[in-house]
Amino acid sequence: MTTEQKKLRVGWFTFTCCEDSTVIFTELLNDHWQEWKKLIDFRHARVLKSHNVLDELDVAFVEGALSSQAHIDKLKEIRQKSKKIVAVGSCAVVGLPSAQRNTFGPEDIEAIREPYLEKFNYLPKVLKLAEVVKIDAQLPGCPMDPKAFLKLVGEMLKEFNITS
Ligand code: SF4
């Protein structure tokens, strides 16, 4: 009888940003897919598949800053369902560059008020992830450093007893 390989349950989520860390993540799959598919269950990764599940996750990688109440609600749901949350990239870690409008003066805010802030129901300020939920780890950089991502994935695989 063969025992089934336990897999790390992972989600990849994106809020307000340019998604360059997502591009890096998918580029890394060129070299790591064969290895990762045996060890990682990508429960939620819209860049990889259309059927995604947000259920119990070991690790949620979250890219981008928060611009709306819907983003806040979604991140709180991710927090509730994830053992670890990793903030991916500068926008998630410190808010910038996605939070640039936080520094706008009254004239510039007025210029974007109706066509953007009101139209899309945006918050008055863009938030970094840590302003809303507890973050367990972070991958700074704009975009993230692929080597740091690979190192963290290796650590998570060990921490959750997927590899020794
Ligand atoms: S941190 Fe940089 S690369 Fe990542 S989403 Fe923000 S702007 Fe794009």
Side-chain angles (χ1 to χ4, degrees):
M1 199 175 80
T2 55
T3 50
E4 211 178 308
Q5 164 76 48
K6 187 183 163 206
K7 292 185 178 181
L8 189 71
R9 296 166 69 91
V10 162
W12 183 279
F13 302 89
T14 300
F15 291 107
T16 300
C17 69
C18 75
E19 300 193 57
D20 260 13
S21 291
T22 297
V23 172
I24 292 199
F25 163 56
T26 52
E27 288 287 341
L28 287 169
L29 292 170
N30 288 327
D31 293 327
H32 295 276
W33 175 246
Q34 293 302 331
E35 166 202 347
W36 285 349
K37 72 178 186 184
K38 295 179 205 133
L39 305 174
I40 300 176
D41 177 4
F42 289 100
R43 308 287 301 159
H44 193 294
R46 290 174 67 185
V47 69
L48 301 182
K49 54 187 191 165
S50 50
H51 179 65
N52 289 286
V53 188
L54 176 47
D55 54 3
E56 210 179 296
L57 296 174
D58 294 323
V59 188
F61 291 93
V62 183
E63 175 192 36
L66 309 168
S67 301
S68 65
Q69 186 58 46
H71 286 174
I72 290 176
D73 295 345
K74 181 77 179 187
L75 182 62
K76 285 182 177 170
E77 186 188 358
I78 294 167
R79 176 71 277 180
Q80 228 177 17
K81 294 176 174 171
S82 309
K83 295 190 180 93
K84 301 254 180 203
I85 289 191
V86 181
V88 179
S90 172
C91 291
V93 174
V94 296
L96 289 164
S98 282
Q100 258 184 65
R101 73 171 162 87
N102 292 358
T103 63
F104 283 10
E107 207 176 305
D108 291 331
I109 288 290
E110 185 52 30
I112 63 170
R113 188 179 53 77
E114 201 185 322
Y116 294 104
L117 302 182
E118 289 179 5
K119 183 175 178 189
F120 298 107
N121 214 7
Y122 284 155
L123 298 166
K125 295 271 179 199
V126 179
L127 306 173
K128 60 181 179 179
L129 305 190
E131 288 176 277
V132 173
V133 298
K134 177 178 163 279
I135 298 301
D136 303 290
Q138 57 186 39
L139 291 165
C142 181
M144 70 170 181
D145 173 2
K147 285 197 193 115
F149 176 74
L150 290 174
K151 183 167 175 282
L152 188 64
V153 169
E155 287 166 7
M156 295 291 179
L157 286 169
K158 281 190 187 148
E159 187 174 335
F160 284 90
N161 296 316
I162 311 296
T163 58
S164 50

